[in-house]
Amino acid sequence: MMTTTHDTTDGTHGHYTPAERRTVRKNLVGIGMGNLLEWYDWNVYASFTIYIAAHAFNDADPASALLSTLAIFAVGFIARPFGGFVFGWIGDRKGRKYSMTLAIVLASFGSLAIALLPSYETVGAWSSLMLLLARLLQGLAHGGELPSSQVFLSEVAPAKHRGLWSSWIYVSGTTGILAGVLLAAVLNLTLTAEQLDAFGWRIPFAIGAVAGLYTLYLRRNMEETEAFTNIEKSGAPKRNIFSQIWEHRLGALQVIGLTIGITVAYYAWAINAPTYANTQLGMDRGLTLWAGVIGNIVLIVSLPLWGMLSDRFGRKPIMIISAGAALVLYLPIQAWLRNDFLVLVLSVSLMSAILAGALAIMPAMFSELFPPEVRTSGIGFPYALAVAAFGGTAPYIQTYASGQDYNWFPLYTMALLVITLITVFTVPETKGKHLG
């Protein structure tokens, strides 16, 4: 991920000193670990829903307990826009580093609370309430982590390589998803069903909490970005955050427009495709999970390549190619899907590689739309709102539409991709922009 050169303050192309290399590694590891854990926490909850339901709710009615556990999963999505707003405000007032550090504290505390969750048999409805509060904390943290880390990474990246560096957000996040999937697979292989029910399901959350402590240490030792430090040095009075967001409302709307099409397509293909293949096409669950793993590996490999291309040719061409190709190929690839492992792998991998173009550069593109004093706020709330409203509902809508006489979900996704493409044409080219 790290390039060996950087842009010096006089605009020349220089080399990193040993001290600068250490700072770069510290920043990338600190951002990557936190982002990885956020996505890991999100995924392991979904993987162990059945076991959580049996402990946090009355197991006399397993169906009701499962639905209640899934409802609490949805609550985490609802909390994300609030986290985006609150942590965006913190990032613009107290610093990007402070916001990211607080986010990892909340996320780790939420994981620890789930790992130590008392059973419904022991404390009754208090168990359900504790689970709800833990998921609220994780939702707030996840809503705040992404904009804060996106802005931090964009501000410390060399202007000429910001697209490449920006891809680290989804590289680390997708790695977190894979880590959760692989850990779930290992636990299922090494523990009996009784052991998983007794204590095994708590292990992933305990690991998340412990890893969070290490990430906290990393982030406390990171240096604040120069862009925020310059704001503090200027001594300019702090303006009302609502008025600032309103002043930059076009940028906030552009964040939403750029996000909705890509995020729904991403959730449909990179996240929910294995479940769709299992429930709608009748494929073996184990095979569909491996198809998802392969697709996510393709996504990880593709991200930095697209980031480098955006640094050379611009953000807008890459966004147009990525969203446009996803739009044009969506129906043909959807029609090609059938109960065939190789077809599923190729379909998921192809769409993942295409969507990686937009995913890689969105953190840089968003940061380049706003001035430093409102950068995390301007991104945080609209981005988290778009992801919660469209990405969070995508698996449900996809499953519901698939059960109808006519599956209209592809058309729904394509309409959102059209909105994303239209939005791209309203955005100025920002490649190489100085972020202040």
Side-chain angles (χ1 to χ4, degrees):
M1 278 298 303
M2 190 190 82
T3 179
T4 57
T5 60
H6 72 109
D7 303 312
T8 55
T9 54
D10 62 357
T12 61
H13 203 55
H15 293 274
Y16 283 114
T17 66
E20 287 173 332
R21 287 195 187 95
R22 287 193 294 271
T23 299
V24 167
R25 285 195 294 268
K26 184 167 60 177
N27 286 337
L28 291 179
V29 173
I31 291 171
M33 276 297 297
N35 202 39
L36 183 153
L37 281 174
E38 294 281 0
W39 293 47
Y40 164 88
D41 285 339
W42 211 254
N43 190 62
V44 295
Y45 184 97
S47 298
F48 292 91
T49 297
I50 295 175
Y51 300 104
I52 297 171
H55 285 264
F57 295 93
N58 187 353
D59 60 2
D61 187 355
S64 176
L66 179 59
L67 287 173
S68 298
T69 308
L70 291 173
I72 289 180
F73 180 72
V75 165
F77 272 101
I78 295 171
R80 285 175 67 160
F82 297 98
F85 178 80
V86 171
F87 282 87
W89 179 86
I90 293 172
D92 288 331
R93 289 296 181 269
K94 301 293 184 180
R96 314 338 184 186
K97 171 188 166 182
Y98 186 90
S99 179
M100 292 194 306
T101 303
L102 182 58
I104 203 64
V105 169
L106 286 187
S108 299
F109 189 79
S111 291
L112 180 63
I114 297 176
L116 300 177
L117 189 73
S119 68
Y120 186 92
E121 290 182 355
T122 304
V123 297
W126 286 106
S127 178
S128 309
L129 179 60
M130 288 178 63
L131 178 63
L132 174 63
L133 293 175
R135 288 300 293 170
L136 281 172
L137 286 178
Q138 289 185 325
L140 289 169
H142 199 70
E145 164 69 21
L146 274 176
S148 300
S149 59
Q150 286 176 2
V151 169
F152 187 100
L153 186 60
S154 296
E155 289 182 345
V156 300
K160 291 183 179 180
H161 303 288
R162 190 178 296 123
L164 171 62
W165 283 47
S166 159
S167 67
W168 183 235
I169 295 295
Y170 271 88
V171 168
S172 57
T174 307
T175 302
I177 292 176
L178 287 178
V181 170
L182 293 175
L183 178 58
V186 168
L187 290 175
N188 274 285
L189 285 173
T190 57
L191 299 179
T192 65
E194 292 75 17
Q195 290 172 326
L196 276 171
D197 183 62
F199 65 88
W201 66 273
R202 299 179 186 271
I203 293 175
F205 298 101
I207 291 174
V210 173
L213 292 176
Y214 174 65
T215 306
L216 177 62
Y217 164 77
L218 291 174
R219 290 192 167 181
R220 283 177 59 85
N221 288 282
M222 292 168 65
E223 297 177 10
E224 185 54 79
T225 70
E226 183 179 353
F228 180 78
T229 303
N230 289 339
I231 297 174
E232 294 293 284
K233 288 179 179 179
S234 71
K238 305 293 186 181
R239 294 177 54 196
N240 182 280
I241 192 65
F242 292 101
S243 64
Q244 283 188 299
I245 293 177
W246 178 252
E247 182 179 328
H248 296 280
R249 57 191 178 278
L250 175 59
L253 290 173
Q254 287 170 330
V255 168
I256 293 173
L258 292 170
T259 300
I260 56 176
I262 299 300
T263 196
V264 170
Y266 167 74
Y267 271 86
W269 286 100
I271 303 296
N272 201 49
T275 301
Y276 174 86
N278 172 243
T279 59
Q280 303 299 321
L281 303 179
M283 288 189 64
D284 176 75
R285 177 62 176 167
L287 288 177
T288 63
L289 286 175
W290 279 112
V293 168
I294 294 169
N296 276 294
I297 292 173
V298 170
L299 178 67
I300 290 173
V301 173
S302 303
L303 286 164
L305 301 178
W306 283 110
M308 287 189 287
L309 288 173
S310 80
D311 286 325
R312 181 170 182 179
F313 299 106
R315 315 290 187 235
K316 293 181 68 171
I318 299 303
M319 281 293 295
I320 290 170
I321 291 171
S322 178
L327 174 64
V328 171
L329 294 177
Y330 201 106
L331 280 180
I333 295 178
Q334 179 75 30
W336 188 40
L337 272 180
R338 58 182 184 272
N339 190 342
D340 185 299
F341 176 69
L342 181 59
V343 169
L344 179 62
V345 168
L346 292 175
S347 300
V348 173
S349 297
L350 178 58
M351 287 301 290
S352 295
I354 289 170
L355 293 169
L359 296 171
I361 64 172
M362 285 200 300
M365 202 170 185
F366 292 164
S367 296
E368 291 162 349
L369 290 175
F370 297 92
E373 63 271 15
V374 71
R375 189 164 287 144
T376 49
S377 302
I379 297 172
F381 180 71
Y383 178 75
L385 181 65
V387 170
F390 292 91
T393 59
Y396 175 84
I397 294 175
Q398 184 179 28
T399 302
Y400 174 79
S402 300
Q404 304 301 301
D405 293 335
Y406 176 74
N407 182 6
W408 44 265
F409 181 79
L411 298 181
Y412 166 74
T413 308
M414 292 168 67
L416 295 178
L417 285 169
V418 169
I419 294 174
T420 292
L421 278 169
I422 293 172
T423 305
V424 174
F425 288 100
T426 71
V427 174
E429 179 55 65
T430 53
K431 180 193 73 167
K433 180 180 179 179
H434 178 61
L435 292 185

